[in-house]
Amino acid sequence: MAGTLVQGALFTVMVVRAAMLRDPAFEEELAKQVERSPRFFLNAPVVLDLKGSEADAFVTPEEFAEARRVLRGQTLMLVGVQNALPQQIAAAAAADLAGFAPNATQPSRRRAAEAEAEPPEPAAAPAAPPPATVAPRTRLVTQPVRSGTQIYARGGDLVVTAAVSPGAELVADGNIHVYGVLRGRALAGASGDAGARIFCSRFEAELVSIAGHYLVSEQLPPEQQGFPVQIALIDDQLTITRN
Amino acid sequence: MGKVIVVTSGKGGVGKTTTSAAFAAGLAMRGNKTVVIDFDVGLRNLDLVMGCERRVVFDFINVINGDANLNQALIKDKRNDNLFIFPTSQTRDKDALKREGVERVMEELKNQFDYIICDSPAGIEHGAITALYFADSAIIVTNPEVSSVRDSDRIIGILASRSRRAERNESPVDIHLLLTRYSLDRVSKGEMLTVEDVKEILSIPLLGVIPESESVLRASNTGTPVVFDGESPAGHAYLDAVARFLGEQREMRFLKPERKSLFRTLFGRA
């Protein structure tokens, strides 16, 4: 039992560089990004990367509290720090922030000497932090999806190897694959990924959608009914092609 | 330990109560001590279909609330010593079905009976959920018609996720399809879904096909489960379904037109 008390897990966390917080244009740019994909950013955890910050910056809990307030104003949640000096870690802890090990895509703080030799980051790019690489997870469903059932594959693809009844709803942030007859609804790219696709062995869907662009059964081409198809969003149009 | 069978459908008016009555009577006729319970609180019909509406003193809700004990509420059928009816309240509604009370009653019944048939109300709300919660087996009553098939699909999904067996991760409820009010005539005209159509959409094993029959209305009106009517095709079909449920092989009758040949008419083979 004790062995299962502490388990390792991988999480997706956004990283904000401390220098960005000092840039007045940052908040505005972040607000725009959040507005475009509100669900993606809502209550999303953020780690503050202190690499490159001055040794006397972020050494008090109040500074972290202020950073937390700024990020919260954009619905983000500051949960920890990365690449912090010992005095910064102490202040962060006092502000109830965890210390994260440097993530694999960043050189560690201790190699600051080499870091100095790197070309300076382009300061004129106050873009919102890009999301850290998402570990894709595919959700597999092998039983028939009955009418009234909703399945949401968060952060990845959905694969169904049985029939999907009319009145059932398949939702995925990634692609949807149905190795069976699709009679219900399929909504791929649910969090805004316009590159997501829908694949099925027998197309009889009630409604299909990719990144919010949808077509109902009546609008779907009748010549594709009953066949294996692939649905993609091309130039903002839902395109259905025979597989 | 008794087996609990729920007779459900999602859709209303497809033949749940008729089926519950027929199935319970059929099992009793085969020597099994059987009780059939009405879960349709406030809209009770089972007592009418079983012909015991004038003998109801205490009901399911009385027993749940502790106003009466089980034996005071159970009504013994006059036609078969193995058959008992457990009526429900007409004055209360489904909110009166408290989960703990129902559980206690079900445990008591499982000790006394071989089979417990739960006649579910229509819908997917509290009454229907309570009726299916304790099931070991389920009979999904479906008419060969699109709305009924859609609703049956829904209730099958609910059985798979909200029964006690599902919640406790035990072996799943044994689900069977019973197609009722099947009219050969309308199927051949293309007005009604075929058996194959329904089987393909619902993907559950077929227990039986009950033909549309005037004898069912007569049975309801006289308070006699249709299996007691020796001349009713529906009654025969129900007896076949009971046999299949108990593991016997029976060919599906009433799916092909009965061709009255001259030969047969002359030599009198029924």
Side-chain angles (χ1 to χ4, degrees), chain B residues 9-16 120-123 141 143 145 147-148 151 181:
Chain B
S9 65
K11 187 101 174 67
V14 295
K16 290 181 292 302
S120 174
V141 181
N143 287 354
E145 176 269 314
S147 317
S148 175
D151 290 0
R181 307 200 68 172

Side-chain angles (χ1 to χ4, degrees), chain B residues 37-126:
Chain B
I37 315 176
D38 195 346
F39 270 83
D40 203 349
V41 185
L43 288 174
R44 76 173 183 214
N45 291 320
L46 187 64
D47 55 319
L48 289 171
V49 171
M50 294 298 295
C52 63
E53 74 276 19
R54 291 183 293 169
R55 291 190 284 149
V56 179
V57 180
F58 293 109
D59 59 58
F60 196 1
I61 306 302
N62 290 139
V63 178
I64 289 176
N65 292 340
D67 305 328
N69 68 42
L70 192 57
N71 291 310
Q72 290 175 295
L74 286 173
I75 299 175
K76 193 169 185 182
D77 191 272
K78 290 183 176 165
R79 296 157 292 224
N80 189 308
D81 284 342
N82 289 321
L83 185 56
F84 289 77
I85 301 104
F86 194 5
T88 191
S89 166
Q90 181 66 344
T91 52
R92 306 291 303 276
D93 61 46
K94 288 151 185 65
D95 295 332
L97 287 169
K98 305 271 186 279
R99 183 65 67 83
E100 310 77 44
V102 176
E103 181 159 14
R104 194 178 29 86
V105 170
M106 295 303 281
E107 288 308 309
E108 238 192 292
L109 288 169
K110 281 166 88 158
N111 287 333
Q112 284 190 39
F113 291 91
D114 299 319
Y115 288 101
I116 298 123
I117 314 276
C118 299
D119 183 20
S120 174
I124 50 170
E125 272 70 51
H126 183 65

Side-chain angles (χ1 to χ4, degrees), chain A residues 21 48 58 62-72 78:
Chain A
L21 277 179
L48 190 63
F58 286 106
E62 288 74 30
E63 286 166 277
F64 286 111
E66 176 58 19
R68 182 191 269 122
R69 190 196 61 76
V70 169
L71 289 167
R72 199 78 197 99
L78 185 60

Side-chain angles (χ1 to χ4, degrees), chain A:
Chain A
M1 207 272 188
T4 55
L5 270 176
V6 178
Q7 287 179 310
L10 276 177
F11 290 98
T12 301
V13 186
M14 274 182 270
V15 176
V16 173
R17 288 198 295 285
M20 286 182 183
L21 277 179
R22 311 238 161 169
D23 189 326
F26 169 70
E27 231 186 300
E28 200 190 301
E29 192 55 44
L30 178 59
K32 277 198 216 150
Q33 279 276 343
V34 171
E35 206 190 305
R36 256 181 263 150
S37 311
R39 264 198 309 175
F40 183 83
F41 289 99
L42 180 64
N43 297 331
V46 168
V47 165
L48 190 63
D49 187 351
L50 294 166
K51 168 173 170 279
S53 60
E54 279 99 59
D56 63 354
F58 286 106
V59 291
T60 62
E62 288 74 30
E63 286 166 277
F64 286 111
E66 176 58 19
R68 182 191 269 122
R69 190 196 61 76
V70 169
L71 289 167
R72 199 78 197 99
Q74 297 303 329
T75 75
L76 297 169
M77 273 201 223
L78 185 60
V79 297
V81 295
Q82 179 180 255
N83 292 326
L85 294 167
Q87 63 268 35
Q88 290 169 328
I89 292 191
D96 292 325
L97 294 173
F100 283 73
N103 76 44
T105 61
Q106 305 254 357
S108 100
R109 183 80 176 172
R110 286 199 214 104
R111 286 184 274 137
E114 289 122 62
E116 304 280 78
E118 282 170 41
E121 311 267 6
T133 41
V134 178
R137 272 184 338 249
T138 297
R139 184 153 166 200
L140 176 65
V141 173
T142 56
Q143 295 298 317
V145 185
R146 303 277 175 186
S147 189
T149 309
Q150 291 173 306
I151 301 185
Y152 177 28
R154 194 184 294 272
D157 284 7
L158 176 61
V159 174
V160 179
T161 58
V164 179
S165 296
E169 258 180 39
L170 305 179
V171 186
D173 286 335
N175 306 301
I176 295 177
H177 307 251
V178 178
Y179 296 102
V181 55
L182 172 60
R183 295 194 172 109
R185 299 176 151 202
L187 293 84
S191 290
D193 179 7
R197 295 193 179 199
I198 299 171
F199 305 83
C200 64
S201 300
R202 208 163 110 206
F203 181 56
E204 292 177 21
E206 289 176 321
L207 180 148
V208 290
S209 163
I210 297 178
H213 294 77
Y214 70 91
L215 283 176
V216 290
S217 178
E218 215 175 49
Q219 300 165 300
L220 296 166
E223 63 273 10
Q224 307 286 29
Q225 296 291 322
F227 288 101
V229 299
Q230 188 186 140
I231 304 165
L233 193 63
I234 299 177
D235 294 330
D236 280 354
Q237 291 261 49
L238 274 180
T239 320
I240 303 177
T241 42
R242 198 77 71 82
N243 256 347

Side-chain angles (χ1 to χ4, degrees), chain B residues 19 164 193:
Chain B
T19 299
R164 186 167 66 171
L193 292 174

